[in-house]
Amino acid sequence: MPPANPNLIASATRPGWRNFFWMLLCSAGVLAVLFYKSFDPAQALFANDGPLGANKAAAMALPEAFKGIWHDLNWVGGWTGSALPTLTYVLNWILGPVGFAKFYAPITVLVLGLSAWFFFRQLGFRPMVCLLGGLAAALNMDFFSYACWGLGTLPLCVAFVFLALAAVASTDKGWPRFVLAGFAVGMSVMEGFDNGAIFSLYISAFVVFQALTSEAKPGPALAKGIGRTACVAIFSGFIAAHALSILTGTQIKGIVSTHQDKQGREANWRFATQWSFPKIEMLRFLIPGLFGYGPPEMYGIPPEAYDGMNYWGSVGQDEEWEAYFSSKKPGVDPSTIRGTLRLSGSGEYSGVLVVLVAAWTIAQARRKKDSAFSESERKFIGFWLVMALVSLLLAFGRYAPFYRIIYALPYFSTIRNPVKWLHPFQLALIVLFGYGLEGLSRRYLASAGAKAESLKAHLKSWWASAPVFDRKWTTGCLIFLAASLLGWLVYGASHAELEQHLQRVFFPPQLAAPIAAFSLKEVSWYVLFLALSLIGFLLLLSGWFRSDRAKWAGLTLGIVLVMDLGRANLPWIVHYNYLERYASDPVLDILRDKPYEHRVVAPKFQTPSQFAFFQQIYYLHWLQYRFPYYNIQSLDIIQMPRLPEDIAAFQGALGNSPARLWQLTNTRYLLAWIGLLPAINQQLDPELQRFKLHTAFELYQKVTNGPILVRTNTTGPFALIEFTGALPRAKLYSNWQVSTNDMATLQQLTSTNFNPTQSVLVAGQLPTAPNNSTNQNAGTVTFKSYEPKRIILEADAAKPSVLLLNDRYDPQWNVWVDGRRDTLLRCNFHMHGVFLPAGKHTVEFRFEPPNGSFYISLAAIALGLFLCGFLAFTGRRQESAPGAEPTALSIPNRKDQNSKSA
């Protein structure tokens, strides 16, 4: 069958909103099946980032968090920005912590799929193409795995990118579309932060390229493109004002290793590129579990019970391990390497069918004659191909020289993890997939009806008269299938060598065998879905589905696509019984009693292996999940890749004096191996012996692979140790010293001649303390009420005193004494306080960061919604008018004059 004339342009018939509901129904149905356990009242979806416990913490309570978040649960507190006016926080507010934990991930990928559908609709693609393109986006493993990891902000970020592209896909409404695109980019930045910033570069490139292809003269075209890009940038900054303000305040200003001089960038290189993408792992685009999935310990699953799905690649590997494995450091003891061995919480699988169709798109677009695409379409396909290649090269990070180019640019060194550039790569691949489906539909579905003949006869007839390109493409696909089968056989024969490699990279023998078996099984699945995809693709290519059978083409390809991506994504969907995981125990009952009066720490002492296991449980589950759930405050930091300079200075000065550190930070409890108690007193506090056994306990499981439970006993092996020398959370000092030199203050804090119980160091102007003051009977202070951002104390000062509150100093805190605003003091370098005259006082500390940018973003969102309504109304009115023209970038349906349109 000869192809349709690519220059024959008919008016575009866009999929109507009835097709939108089909997309909604199909994608919601698929996701309901995948996430069916979320409907169980006791089950919640695992989330490493933003878990149920963290969302349940008082510091994250909505709507108060919109005014700023003071995270009081780690270290001695800190400002972590605020809840943003985004879909993520709106969902959190509406669903509540439990509902959010259950349904956030499926909702975000659903929104992504619908946004991709809308983008393809704006291009004028057929309903079937829009549906399959939307499903490919929703189930793309890169976005899907991030959603299941707790970062649904990424699929929402990509969703707004699709909406921005949809807004600028047509210029028939003029500048309002670019304003709307700017708002969508701004929402993408608010959801994705640096991911949104990366995508904004691609949207800018698209807008400029669009202008260059629409104008004959390059000068005016470039000027128009720059003007449109400026419009997008201005309005994206308008709507993302609050996010940009927070990003600057919490991730750039006052952060170690974010200095933009050459020396600072070089010092940050290792940190910034740790999550680079090894070139060998490009195979993951086609074989989802070749290198395994996420780390089982993050899910609370013992490694040996993970069915061989353990990730064994190199993403997240510290440079020291890379040097060790490549024998660049012969003789090095691996136990001395402190960097991460490997850690990947995401997948990169694109789908066999998606890659196959995208490859066909690229091959077709290279043809100048007899192509399935018009000249304009070929240019845009080339654009997305270049974007995909650039993204992939940058994602290699330290494994290739290309990332060095952008790393030298201002502030690019503050973006961590080159693998983030795989997100635009996956988006570009999905766009190419959509173009390919449209080209295939136009070329092989919209012509005369199929003859009533057997499939065998049809294929024989087609091959005899098939165009040269189709014959070459089919031959190439069959060769690729044969090569894949051969590779599968060779890989299976190398099972023993793979096990040996796994043991060399520190997997025990009992794990190496199941990991190797799982990897081979994933290759088997790849071969199966490659065969199924090729069958469906070649049937379409042969014209078997044309005309009246067109709906079966969409159904066939859709089933293959959903089965392939759905099966591959299943390992990321991990549910757990949250009622069991967050159940209290005797140790938690002690720590959750007035948790604002003390902190807890689990020191990393050299201990027996059983305590090392406890530390793993502590850091991965207690600290991240159970402590926030009960608002238990810990000196340990869950995650702080960008360390503020004041914390780095304080930790650096006191790192070798842990007892003094715990004393100054109100750390009253230690979790440790019970056998260490005598050594702790002897080495850290030999004179006063202030470390006392509070409660001995052990860990146990009721059922194999069940939750880790706690019960008290008298022998341990673990212990809750009380440090009676810790300063109270709030304390009055009638003896103080003014110290405005920070280095001198830190030195004095570590000096054995300085007694923190008798004197406080103040970096501010105060009257001189009385010479005869010894801080005896300075007075009392009690908590009247405690909230993370509002603390009310009742103080009874026997004499003029400094009230010390052992929380991290931040100038955005304000203090009121007896209803009158007073001066906030910085005490002991890191804490805050206030001067009180003698007598009884009510002291109120309130955290009040500026919120002007929040209202700017709200106003921009309101304007964006109004503009959406305006364009939708005028669009419906124009489409209903006779003789409406197709959009500039739409790919029109090519109607055969003698048959129905597909």
Side-chain angles (χ1 to χ4, degrees):
M1 178 196 70
N5 185 349
N7 297 316
L8 186 62
I9 299 181
S11 63
T13 304
R14 295 184 182 181
W17 289 106
R18 183 176 65 178
N19 300 112
F20 171 82
F21 291 110
W22 274 111
M23 171 63 196
L24 178 62
L25 180 64
C26 292
S27 53
V30 170
L31 294 172
V33 171
L34 292 175
F35 291 91
Y36 74 95
K37 283 188 177 181
S38 289
F39 296 98
D40 184 330
Q43 296 289 315
L45 186 67
F46 165 85
N48 182 73
D49 293 70
L52 171 58
N55 289 322
K56 193 78 163 49
M60 298 301 299
L62 294 167
E64 184 60 30
F66 286 114
K67 299 177 183 178
I69 299 172
W70 182 260
H71 191 71
D72 60 339
L73 301 182
N74 299 121
W75 187 238
V76 287
W79 177 46
T80 57
S82 73
L84 301 171
T86 61
L87 188 54
T88 289
Y89 282 105
V90 170
L91 288 172
N92 196 342
W93 191 7
I94 294 173
L95 297 174
V98 174
F100 188 78
K102 287 173 172 286
F103 300 111
Y104 176 56
I107 289 175
T108 58
V109 294
L110 174 64
V111 172
L112 170 58
L114 296 176
S115 300
W117 177 93
F118 184 70
F119 166 68
F120 291 129
R121 176 184 183 271
Q122 289 302 103
L123 292 183
F125 288 2
R126 289 165 171 76
M128 178 197 76
V129 176
C130 296
L131 175 62
L132 294 180
L135 288 172
L139 298 178
N140 177 276
M141 186 184 283
D142 182 33
F143 312 136
F144 192 96
S145 61
Y146 271 81
C148 293
W149 195 245
L151 291 172
T153 50
L154 176 64
L156 291 179
C157 168
V158 180
F160 282 109
V161 171
F162 272 118
L163 294 177
L165 291 171
V168 299
S170 170
T171 59
D172 61 344
K173 296 293 189 344
W175 288 100
R177 282 189 173 272
F178 295 95
V179 173
L180 194 58
F183 286 148
V185 172
M187 291 300 296
S188 177
V189 171
M190 285 210 293
E191 288 284 5
F193 276 65
D194 48 2
N195 286 317
I198 290 172
F199 275 115
S200 69
L201 302 177
Y202 289 76
I203 294 173
S204 299
F206 180 84
V207 170
V208 172
F209 184 80
Q210 180 192 49
L212 290 173
T213 58
S214 63
E215 295 283 346
K217 296 182 179 180
L222 182 60
K224 182 182 289 187
I226 293 174
R228 290 171 175 176
T229 302
C231 177
V232 172
I234 290 171
F235 286 95
S236 66
F238 183 22
I239 205 168
H242 194 46
L244 294 174
S245 173
I246 290 172
L247 183 64
T248 302
T250 62
Q251 303 297 313
I252 297 178
K253 287 185 177 178
I255 301 298
V256 176
S257 74
T258 58
H259 301 292
Q260 292 306 295
D261 56 274
K262 183 177 180 180
Q263 184 178 0
R265 285 195 295 267
E266 286 302 315
N268 194 44
W269 171 259
R270 174 178 169 182
F271 165 81
T273 61
Q274 182 173 340
W275 268 263
S276 296
F277 190 63
K279 292 186 281 293
I280 185 61
E281 296 195 33
M282 286 192 294
L283 292 170
R284 292 165 66 185
F285 297 148
L286 281 171
I287 311 173
L290 179 64
F291 290 90
Y293 284 81
E297 59 272 14
M298 302 298 290
Y299 299 109
I301 301 172
E304 63 274 8
Y306 202 43
D307 297 327
M309 293 188 293
N310 317 59
Y311 176 68
W312 55 276
S314 302
V315 173
Q317 189 171 93
D318 190 89
E319 281 187 342
E320 285 197 39
W321 282 110
E322 182 183 356
Y324 175 79
F325 288 131
S326 61
S327 301
K328 293 178 182 178
K329 288 191 172 183
V332 172
D333 182 359
S335 64
T336 63
I337 301 177
R338 298 301 180 190
T340 305
L341 179 57
R342 64 180 66 86
L343 180 60
S344 176
S346 64
E348 313 302 341
Y349 185 53
S350 307
V352 174
L353 182 63
V354 173
V355 175
L356 184 65
V357 173
W360 182 89
T361 305
I362 296 167
Q364 270 289 328
R366 292 186 60 195
R367 306 177 69 196
K368 294 183 179 181
K369 295 182 179 180
D370 196 27
S371 174
F373 304 107
S374 67
E375 181 65 24
S376 174
E377 295 159 7
R378 291 173 57 240
K379 290 179 180 179
F380 280 96
I381 291 170
F383 170 84
W384 287 112
L385 174 60
V386 171
M387 293 297 101
L389 292 175
V390 169
S391 302
L392 182 60
L393 294 177
L394 294 177
F396 291 149
R398 71 169 188 261
Y399 297 114
F402 310 104
Y403 195 71
R404 279 283 186 184
I405 299 172
I406 65 164
Y407 187 79
L409 299 176
Y411 288 100
F412 271 86
S413 61
T414 65
I415 298 178
R416 192 185 186 195
N417 306 346
V419 292
K420 291 178 180 178
W421 294 88
L422 288 178
H423 307 327
F425 169 81
Q426 296 286 1
L427 180 140
L429 202 62
I430 291 168
V431 173
L432 292 173
F433 173 67
Y435 269 99
L437 287 178
E438 181 64 22
L440 287 166
S441 300
R442 174 195 308 160
R443 195 175 185 93
Y444 301 106
L445 298 181
S447 56
K451 298 179 180 179
E453 56 184 351
S454 67
L455 178 59
K456 181 179 179 180
H458 169 79
L459 292 176
K460 184 177 180 180
S461 174
W462 164 70
W463 187 253
S465 59
V468 174
F469 176 86
D470 291 359
R471 293 168 67 94
K472 288 183 177 180
W473 176 261
T474 302
T475 302
C477 287
L478 294 176
I479 292 174
F480 185 72
L481 176 61
S484 298
L485 284 168
L486 179 61
W488 173 49
L489 295 174
V490 172
Y491 193 59
S494 305
H495 192 278
E497 288 81 357
L498 178 57
E499 287 190 39
Q500 293 174 5
H501 168 77
L502 291 169
Q503 293 180 49
R504 282 196 299 271
V505 295
F506 292 98
F507 282 97
Q510 64 270 24
L511 288 182
I515 291 174
F518 179 80
S519 183
L520 178 60
K521 184 175 70 173
E522 288 295 296
V523 178
S524 304
W525 279 112
Y526 153 71
V527 172
L528 173 62
F529 279 104
L530 175 61
L532 293 176
S533 299
L534 283 176
I535 290 172
F537 190 92
L538 295 178
L539 285 177
L540 192 156
L541 203 68
S542 71
W544 176 257
F545 290 120
R546 62 179 180 259
S547 193
D548 293 338
R549 291 176 181 164
K551 59 183 179 181
W552 296 107
L555 184 61
T556 301
L557 297 181
I559 290 174
V560 173
L561 179 73
V562 169
M563 288 180 60
D564 182 17
L565 288 171
R567 183 212 68 83
N569 281 322
L570 281 176
W572 298 112
I573 306 172
V574 178
H575 285 86
Y576 65 94
N577 188 317
Y578 78 91
L579 299 177
E580 290 182 354
R581 174 170 290 188
Y582 288 101
S584 189
D585 59 52
V587 173
L588 288 181
D589 287 341
I590 296 168
L591 298 177
R592 62 189 281 205
D593 180 32
K594 297 181 180 179
Y596 48 83
E597 292 188 351
H598 49 72
R599 293 185 171 93
V600 62
V601 69
K604 295 182 179 180
F605 296 133
Q606 293 293 328
T607 56
S609 59
Q610 58 180 340
F611 187 68
F613 169 73
F614 170 77
Q615 284 188 317
Q616 185 181 59
I617 296 297
Y618 170 76
Y619 278 98
L620 293 181
H621 302 290
W622 288 23
L623 194 60
Q624 294 195 56
Y625 306 134
R626 305 181 81 189
F627 278 15
Y629 193 84
Y630 293 107
N631 293 298
I632 295 171
Q633 301 183 16
S634 172
L635 189 67
D636 292 309
I637 296 173
I638 296 176
Q639 187 180 35
M640 192 178 291
R642 296 174 175 89
L643 191 66
E645 291 174 342
D646 61 325
I647 295 180
F650 195 75
Q651 289 180 338
L654 295 161
N656 294 324
S657 306
R660 179 58 60 87
L661 174 65
W662 299 333
Q663 182 180 34
L664 293 172
T665 55
N666 178 232
T667 305
R668 181 178 166 189
Y669 293 109
L670 279 68
L671 289 164
W673 180 48
I674 195 170
L676 283 179
L677 181 56
I680 291 174
N681 270 316
Q682 182 178 357
Q683 296 181 25
L684 302 184
D685 198 26
E687 295 182 4
L688 301 177
Q689 303 277 306
R690 290 170 292 179
F691 293 92
K692 312 293 183 183
L693 176 64
H694 188 286
T695 303
F697 64 93
E698 63 179 343
L699 305 178
Y700 73 101
Q701 290 176 296
K702 287 184 177 180
V703 296
T704 303
N705 298 331
I708 306 295
L709 305 175
V710 172
R711 60 187 170 204
T712 57
N713 56 23
T714 58
T715 59
F718 311 116
L720 181 66
I721 298 172
E722 184 176 8
F723 177 39
T724 59
L727 292 178
R729 187 64 165 270
K731 181 177 173 61
L732 287 171
Y733 287 87
S734 59
N735 182 26
W736 63 86
Q737 301 176 39
V738 174
S739 177
T740 57
N741 184 299
D742 285 345
M743 292 301 297
T745 299
L746 290 172
Q747 290 177 2
Q748 191 167 359
L749 288 174
T750 60
S751 172
T752 56
N753 297 323
F754 176 73
N755 188 345
T757 66
Q758 296 298 313
S759 184
V760 63
L761 305 180
V762 181
Q765 297 301 317
L766 283 181
T768 304
N771 292 330
N772 60 353
S773 176
T774 61
N775 208 51
Q776 298 298 322
N777 302 318
T780 60
V781 57
T782 58
F783 281 86
K784 183 178 180 180
S785 68
Y786 179 89
E787 298 172 9
K789 296 192 300 180
R790 187 169 182 254
I791 302 170
I792 302 178
L793 304 170
E794 296 286 355
D796 186 0
K799 56 188 76 172
S801 303
V802 171
L803 190 158
L804 168 70
L805 182 62
N806 281 308
D807 286 347
R808 182 185 173 198
Y809 174 84
D810 190 298
Q812 296 176 120
W813 278 91
N814 295 305
V815 62
W816 280 259
V817 177
D818 300 325
R820 294 187 299 273
R821 188 164 179 169
D822 214 320
T823 302
L824 182 72
L825 301 175
R826 182 163 65 94
C827 303
N828 287 348
F829 179 83
H830 209 43
M831 313 301 178
H832 53 223
V834 64
F835 178 77
L836 299 178
K840 294 184 178 181
H841 305 282
T842 298
V843 182
E844 181 179 359
F845 291 90
R846 291 208 302 258
F847 183 63
E848 298 176 318
N851 285 310
S853 58
F854 176 78
Y855 296 107
I856 293 174
S857 292
L858 277 184
I861 290 172
L863 179 58
L865 291 174
F866 169 79
L867 192 56
C868 282
F870 171 77
L871 291 177
F873 175 77
T874 57
R876 284 196 300 269
R877 185 171 59 184
Q878 180 174 334
E879 286 181 9
S880 63
E885 292 296 327
T887 60
L889 287 183
S890 63
I891 298 183
N893 292 329
R894 308 285 175 81
K895 296 183 179 180
D896 188 274
Q897 300 300 317
N898 299 317
S899 64
K900 295 180 180 179
S901 173

Short mmCIF file of all heavy atoms in Angstrom, two decimals, residues 325-351:
data_model
loop_
_atom_site.label_atom_id
_atom_site.label_comp_id
_atom_site.label_asym_id
_atom_site.label_seq_id
_atom_site.Cartn_x
_atom_site.Cartn_y
_atom_site.Cartn_z
N PHE A 325 37.34 -0.50 43.46
CA PHE A 325 36.97 -1.59 42.57
C PHE A 325 37.80 -1.61 41.29
O PHE A 325 37.98 -2.65 40.67
CB PHE A 325 35.48 -1.51 42.22
CG PHE A 325 34.58 -1.87 43.37
CD1 PHE A 325 33.51 -1.05 43.71
CD2 PHE A 325 34.78 -3.03 44.11
CE1 PHE A 325 32.67 -1.39 44.76
CE2 PHE A 325 33.95 -3.36 45.16
CZ PHE A 325 32.90 -2.54 45.50
N SER A 326 38.27 -0.47 40.88
CA SER A 326 39.08 -0.41 39.67
C SER A 326 40.56 -0.56 39.97
O SER A 326 41.40 -0.28 39.11
CB SER A 326 38.84 0.91 38.94
OG SER A 326 39.19 2.01 39.76
N SER A 327 40.89 -0.96 41.21
CA SER A 327 42.27 -1.23 41.64
C SER A 327 43.14 0.01 41.60
O SER A 327 44.36 -0.09 41.47
CB SER A 327 42.89 -2.34 40.78
OG SER A 327 42.14 -3.53 40.90
N LYS A 328 42.51 1.19 41.68
CA LYS A 328 43.31 2.40 41.75
C LYS A 328 43.88 2.61 43.15
O LYS A 328 44.75 3.45 43.36
CB LYS A 328 42.46 3.62 41.35
CG LYS A 328 42.03 3.60 39.89
CD LYS A 328 41.16 4.80 39.58
CE LYS A 328 40.68 4.75 38.13
NZ LYS A 328 39.77 5.89 37.82
N LYS A 329 43.32 1.88 44.11
CA LYS A 329 43.81 1.98 45.49
C LYS A 329 44.14 0.59 46.00
O LYS A 329 43.45 0.05 46.87
CB LYS A 329 42.76 2.65 46.38
CG LYS A 329 42.60 4.14 46.13
CD LYS A 329 41.74 4.77 47.22
CE LYS A 329 41.72 6.29 47.08
NZ LYS A 329 40.96 6.92 48.19
N PRO A 330 45.16 -0.04 45.46
CA PRO A 330 45.50 -1.40 45.91
C PRO A 330 45.92 -1.40 47.37
O PRO A 330 46.59 -0.49 47.84
CB PRO A 330 46.65 -1.80 44.98
CG PRO A 330 47.24 -0.50 44.54
CD PRO A 330 46.11 0.47 44.45
N GLY A 331 45.50 -2.43 48.08
CA GLY A 331 45.89 -2.57 49.47
C GLY A 331 45.06 -1.78 50.45
O GLY A 331 45.32 -1.82 51.65
N VAL A 332 44.06 -1.04 49.97
CA VAL A 332 43.21 -0.25 50.87
C VAL A 332 42.24 -1.17 51.59
O VAL A 332 41.64 -2.06 50.99
CB VAL A 332 42.44 0.83 50.07
CG1 VAL A 332 41.42 1.52 50.97
CG2 VAL A 332 43.41 1.85 49.51
N ASP A 333 42.10 -0.97 52.89
CA ASP A 333 41.14 -1.74 53.69
C ASP A 333 39.75 -1.19 53.39
O ASP A 333 39.47 -0.02 53.69
CB ASP A 333 41.47 -1.61 55.17
CG ASP A 333 40.52 -2.43 56.04
OD1 ASP A 333 39.61 -3.08 55.49
OD2 ASP A 333 40.69 -2.40 57.28
N PRO A 334 38.82 -1.99 52.80
CA PRO A 334 37.50 -1.46 52.46
C PRO A 334 36.70 -0.98 53.67
O PRO A 334 35.81 -0.15 53.53
CB PRO A 334 36.81 -2.65 51.77
CG PRO A 334 37.56 -3.86 52.20
CD PRO A 334 38.97 -3.41 52.42
N SER A 335 37.04 -1.50 54.86
CA SER A 335 36.30 -1.05 56.05
C SER A 335 36.58 0.40 56.40
O SER A 335 35.86 1.02 57.17
CB SER A 335 36.65 -1.94 57.25
OG SER A 335 38.02 -1.82 57.59
N THR A 336 37.66 0.97 55.82
CA THR A 336 37.99 2.37 56.08
C THR A 336 37.31 3.33 55.12
O THR A 336 37.39 4.54 55.30
CB THR A 336 39.51 2.58 55.99
OG1 THR A 336 39.96 2.30 54.64
CG2 THR A 336 40.24 1.66 56.95
N ILE A 337 36.64 2.79 54.09
CA ILE A 337 35.94 3.64 53.12
C ILE A 337 34.57 3.98 53.68
O ILE A 337 33.74 3.10 53.91
CB ILE A 337 35.81 2.94 51.76
CG1 ILE A 337 37.21 2.58 51.21
CG2 ILE A 337 35.07 3.83 50.77
CD1 ILE A 337 37.16 1.82 49.90
N ARG A 338 34.32 5.25 53.89
CA ARG A 338 33.08 5.69 54.53
C ARG A 338 32.00 6.13 53.54
O ARG A 338 30.87 6.35 53.92
CB ARG A 338 33.37 6.86 55.48
CG ARG A 338 34.32 6.49 56.63
CD ARG A 338 33.77 5.37 57.46
NE ARG A 338 34.66 4.99 58.55
CZ ARG A 338 34.50 3.92 59.31
NH1 ARG A 338 33.48 3.10 59.06
NH2 ARG A 338 35.35 3.64 60.27
N GLY A 339 32.35 6.25 52.28
CA GLY A 339 31.37 6.71 51.30
C GLY A 339 30.33 5.64 50.99
O GLY A 339 30.46 4.47 51.37
N THR A 340 29.27 6.06 50.29
CA THR A 340 28.19 5.15 49.92
C THR A 340 28.67 4.12 48.91
O THR A 340 29.32 4.46 47.91
CB THR A 340 27.01 5.94 49.33
OG1 THR A 340 26.62 6.95 50.25
CG2 THR A 340 25.83 5.03 49.05
N LEU A 341 28.35 2.86 49.14
CA LEU A 341 28.74 1.80 48.22
C LEU A 341 27.87 1.82 46.98
O LEU A 341 28.36 1.73 45.86
CB LEU A 341 28.63 0.44 48.92
CG LEU A 341 28.98 -0.80 48.10
CD1 LEU A 341 30.39 -0.70 47.54
CD2 LEU A 341 28.83 -2.06 48.94
N ARG A 342 26.58 1.95 47.14
CA ARG A 342 25.63 2.08 46.03
C ARG A 342 24.28 2.41 46.65
O ARG A 342 23.96 1.98 47.75
CB ARG A 342 25.53 0.79 45.21
CG ARG A 342 24.99 -0.41 45.98
CD ARG A 342 24.91 -1.65 45.12
NE ARG A 342 26.23 -2.10 44.71
CZ ARG A 342 27.00 -2.90 45.45
NH1 ARG A 342 26.60 -3.31 46.63
NH2 ARG A 342 28.17 -3.29 45.01
N LEU A 343 23.48 3.18 45.93
CA LEU A 343 22.14 3.49 46.41
C LEU A 343 21.33 4.06 45.26
O LEU A 343 21.57 5.17 44.81
CB LEU A 343 22.16 4.47 47.58
CG LEU A 343 20.79 4.86 48.15
CD1 LEU A 343 20.07 3.62 48.66
CD2 LEU A 343 20.92 5.88 49.25
N SER A 344 20.37 3.28 44.78
CA SER A 344 19.49 3.77 43.72
C SER A 344 18.06 3.50 44.12
O SER A 344 17.68 2.35 44.35
CB SER A 344 19.80 3.07 42.39
OG SER A 344 18.89 3.48 41.39
N GLY A 345 17.29 4.55 44.25
CA GLY A 345 15.88 4.38 44.60
C GLY A 345 14.98 4.65 43.43
O GLY A 345 13.80 4.95 43.61
N SER A 346 15.53 4.56 42.22
CA SER A 346 14.71 4.86 41.04
C SER A 346 15.02 3.88 39.93
O SER A 346 16.07 3.23 39.91
CB SER A 346 14.99 6.29 40.55
OG SER A 346 16.32 6.43 40.13
N GLY A 347 14.12 3.79 38.98
CA GLY A 347 14.30 2.95 37.81
C GLY A 347 14.35 3.80 36.56
O GLY A 347 13.86 4.93 36.55
N GLU A 348 14.92 3.27 35.50
CA GLU A 348 15.10 4.05 34.27
C GLU A 348 14.42 3.39 33.08
O GLU A 348 14.68 3.77 31.94
CB GLU A 348 16.60 4.22 33.97
CG GLU A 348 17.44 4.66 35.16
CD GLU A 348 16.99 5.96 35.78
OE1 GLU A 348 16.27 6.72 35.10
OE2 GLU A 348 17.33 6.21 36.95
N TYR A 349 13.54 2.43 33.33
CA TYR A 349 12.94 1.67 32.23
C TYR A 349 11.95 2.53 31.46
O TYR A 349 11.06 3.15 32.03
CB TYR A 349 12.25 0.44 32.79
CG TYR A 349 11.68 -0.49 31.75
CD1 TYR A 349 12.46 -0.97 30.71
CD2 TYR A 349 10.35 -0.90 31.82
CE1 TYR A 349 11.96 -1.83 29.76
CE2 TYR A 349 9.83 -1.78 30.87
CZ TYR A 349 10.63 -2.23 29.85
OH TYR A 349 10.12 -3.09 28.91
N SER A 350 12.10 2.56 30.15
CA SER A 350 11.24 3.36 29.29
C SER A 350 10.12 2.54 28.67
O SER A 350 9.09 3.10 28.28
CB SER A 350 12.06 3.99 28.17
OG SER A 350 13.16 4.71 28.68
N GLY A 351 10.30 1.23 28.57
CA GLY A 351 9.33 0.37 27.89
C GLY A 351 9.85 -0.03 26.52
O GLY A 351 10.29 0.83 25.74
#
